[in-house]
Amino acid sequence: MVTRTEEEEVNRLENQVENGGGGVWEYLCLVHKLKLRRSDMVLKHGLSILNDSKKRSALGPEEWTLYEQVAVAAMDCQSIDVAKDCIKVLQRKFPGSKRVGRLEAMLLEARGLWSEAENAYSSLLEENPFDQVVHKRRAAMAKAQGNISAAIDWLNKYLDLFMADHEAWRELAEIYVSLQMYKQAAFCYEELILSQPTVPLYHLAYADVIYTLGGLENLQTAKKYYASTIDLTGGKSTRALFGICLCTSAIGQLTKGRSKEDKESSELQSLSAMALEIDFN
């Protein structure tokens, strides 16, 4: 997951590049390293290097990485001819390469040739059943076709093999939320919190899902994770503060007559409300 510092650095370089201040290669390398999808920028500025023979030759072996990066960006932007040209260069340089084979399959996908792309991905997986990129592309392709159940199946199969992929867990969770399958989404966020306990976004998303499920136990758990979000963000999450107020109010309705819980809930709600008031003033 990209940190705030990294995002600020990318944005700084992007502004610098767009304003003619140089740093194009540095920007492209950082976008590639962080696995960001700034496709229009990568396409524009990547081509500016590839189309200049002096700049291109100065890259050394990194030239081929840039061809791959621009090919993917071109497919994202539906610049199919540019993608074809980049892939052809790589085919000549690396004949029979499985990595180039993935790009060829992705090009079929970008052109909407779903069955051909599926066959290409299947062939690649026969040769290497643990190719992460291909597994994820199959899930993405199913999603692009509107086949959400297939996308869920592919993501679950993928996560059986690659349980440490945080992006895949998050994507699966978001799909489940969109389908109002909150228990399944909660499980995904639990996995994310276990593997990355200091990421406030996961605590907040988990709290939202648990709050939506409702019931006293879930509301108490949601309040706990809204509170941990506030702690992890140094009190700067307005949504978590509002969540505390909602949970406390709902819990209060369910625990009337329990003086200790009423008092604790009232104090927490008051503190959260005061913090929200400061935020909006």
Side-chain angles (χ1 to χ4, degrees), residues 19-38:
N19 291 314
V24 172
W25 178 239
E26 185 183 357
Y27 169 74
L28 291 170
C29 287
L30 186 57
V31 168
H32 185 261
K33 176 187 172 184
L34 299 177
K35 299 180 180 179
L36 299 176
R37 297 296 282 267
R38 307 275 178 113

Side-chain angles (χ1 to χ4, degrees), residues 229-237:
T229 304
I230 293 168
D231 184 47
L232 289 167
T233 59
K236 294 180 181 178
S237 175

Side-chain angles (χ1 to χ4, degrees), residues 31-67:
V31 168
H32 185 261
K33 176 187 172 184
L34 299 177
K35 299 180 180 179
L36 299 176
R37 297 296 282 267
R38 307 275 178 113
S39 300
D40 54 341
M41 292 288 293
V42 169
L43 179 59
K44 176 183 175 182
H45 296 290
L47 281 176
S48 73
I49 293 176
L50 293 178
N51 290 334
D52 185 317
S53 59
K54 287 185 179 179
K55 290 180 180 178
R56 189 175 67 241
S57 59
L59 298 178
E62 294 298 324
E63 174 185 347
W64 315 114
T65 303
L66 182 58
Y67 269 111

Side-chain angles (χ1 to χ4, degrees), residues 157 235 241 261:
K157 288 174 183 175
L241 290 166
E261 290 185 20

Side-chain angles (χ1 to χ4, degrees), residues 63-256:
E63 174 185 347
W64 315 114
T65 303
L66 182 58
Y67 269 111
E68 181 182 37
Q69 188 179 7
V70 171
V72 173
M75 286 184 265
D76 279 349
C77 297
Q78 280 297 298
S79 296
I80 302 300
D81 288 340
V82 173
K84 281 182 182 177
D85 291 341
C86 290
I87 293 170
K88 281 178 183 176
V89 171
L90 292 169
Q91 286 169 332
R92 288 196 296 270
K93 179 66 179 177
F94 306 103
S97 163
K98 302 298 181 292
R99 188 162 171 171
V100 177
R102 285 202 303 257
L103 290 174
E104 292 166 356
M106 289 170 66
L107 182 59
L108 292 170
E109 182 186 341
R111 293 170 60 194
L113 301 173
W114 308 117
S115 60
E116 290 90 336
E118 176 61 35
N119 290 336
Y121 286 137
S122 295
S123 296
L124 289 166
L125 284 177
E126 283 177 10
E127 296 178 24
N128 179 11
F130 299 101
D131 189 321
Q132 284 186 265
V133 174
V134 173
H135 278 286
K136 291 182 86 168
R137 287 315 314 163
R138 292 182 98 172
M141 190 165 68
K143 192 175 176 183
Q145 294 176 81
N147 191 346
I148 303 302
S149 61
I152 289 172
D153 287 342
W154 283 121
L155 280 170
N156 275 308
K157 288 174 183 175
Y158 171 79
L159 287 166
D160 284 341
L161 295 171
F162 309 104
M163 291 187 67
D165 191 324
H166 307 129
E167 288 182 9
W169 279 114
R170 185 177 173 185
E171 183 177 1
L172 184 57
E174 289 172 355
I175 290 174
Y176 280 138
V177 168
S178 73
L179 297 174
Q180 299 183 2
M181 298 171 70
Y182 298 117
K183 288 184 180 179
Q184 292 87 339
F187 175 80
C188 296
Y189 285 122
E190 285 165 3
E191 289 290 328
L192 285 166
I193 291 169
L194 281 171
S195 60
Q196 292 189 301
T198 60
V199 178
L201 177 65
Y202 300 150
H203 288 249
L204 181 60
Y206 181 60
D208 285 343
V209 168
I210 295 299
Y211 173 82
T212 304
L213 283 170
L216 180 58
E217 187 176 343
N218 285 328
L219 289 168
Q220 289 171 331
T221 301
K223 186 173 74 170
K224 172 185 170 184
Y225 281 91
Y226 281 129
S228 65
T229 304
I230 293 168
D231 184 47
L232 289 167
T233 59
K236 294 180 181 178
S237 175
T238 301
R239 189 162 136 201
L241 290 166
F242 189 59
I244 287 282
C245 292
L246 291 175
C247 285
T248 305
S249 177
I251 290 169
Q253 294 297 314
L254 296 172
T255 60
K256 284 183 177 177

